[in-house]
Amino acid sequence: MNNPGRQIAASAAFWMKGLSCGLTGGIVLAFFLKLAELGSGHKVYRLLLNVDFISLMPPRLPEWFELTLHLIVSLAIGLVYAAWIMFRSKPAPLASALWIGFLSSLLYFPLASLSDRVPAPGDMKSFGWWLAGHLLFGMVLFGSNRMLNPLIGTNGSPKA
């Protein structure tokens, strides 16, 4: 039997796209939120890196370690994005990327409620920065995908 999902997961294009898009998007998101926090005083970068809600973690971790955890999540999201646009017959890469950015921005509310070191869940200015950063993350997923297409010889779908 021909299983398109298995073909995608086994393809080098899937892994290259997913990991590259996720890493690039995660770095840009972190940089954007770091600058937003420095410029506005809203602790949106702190929220991005915060892992207070994981009980097995020590209360304070080095920034590089928290950033690494964030990038691991970004890599996973990049793989989801790659699978989504490669598996669908009409992938809509831009709309898919923006939906991923928007939906991931909604994590602001539960994450903000889990720590006293981050913005309050009702802080709409912080949420505005968070939303802008995550929509930028989606745009970077899309842009990275577009830049990789000619390099790896695919337009995003397994039929290419």
Side-chain angles (χ1 to χ4, degrees):
M1 291 216 148
N2 194 6
N3 182 340
R6 186 169 291 179
Q7 285 177 335
I8 291 170
S11 79
F14 163 74
W15 291 100
M16 182 180 285
K17 275 189 181 219
L19 296 175
S20 297
C21 291
L23 182 62
T24 306
I27 290 169
V28 169
L29 175 60
F31 186 69
F32 175 84
L33 292 179
K34 177 82 167 187
L35 290 178
E37 183 171 310
L38 290 172
S40 72
H42 294 277
K43 296 182 179 181
V44 288
Y45 180 69
R46 167 71 359 236
L47 178 60
L48 183 73
L49 302 187
N50 187 48
V51 291
D52 287 356
F53 57 91
I54 302 175
S55 61
L56 299 175
M57 296 285 186
R60 299 288 190 263
L61 293 166
E63 181 180 353
W64 69 266
F65 186 79
E66 291 176 328
L67 181 59
T68 300
L69 294 175
H70 157 71
L71 292 176
I72 291 169
V73 171
S74 295
L75 290 169
I77 293 171
L79 290 170
V80 168
Y81 175 67
W84 181 262
I85 62 173
M86 293 177 83
F87 185 68
R88 295 182 50 93
S89 59
K90 295 181 182 177
L94 178 58
S96 299
L98 290 175
W99 269 110
I100 287 172
F102 174 73
L103 292 174
S104 62
S105 77
L106 297 178
L107 289 172
Y108 173 87
F109 300 103
L111 292 175
S113 67
L114 294 173
S115 175
D116 58 357
R117 299 188 303 144
V118 299
D123 183 345
M124 289 298 106
K125 287 184 182 178
S126 292
F127 177 67
W129 284 112
W130 184 261
L131 175 62
H134 282 79
L135 291 175
L136 176 62
F137 173 77
M139 291 298 298
V140 172
L141 287 177
F142 171 73
S144 299
N145 174 58
R146 293 271 313 230
M147 288 176 25
L148 285 169
N149 285 340
L151 297 175
I152 60 177
T154 178
N155 69 0
S157 71
K159 298 175 184 80

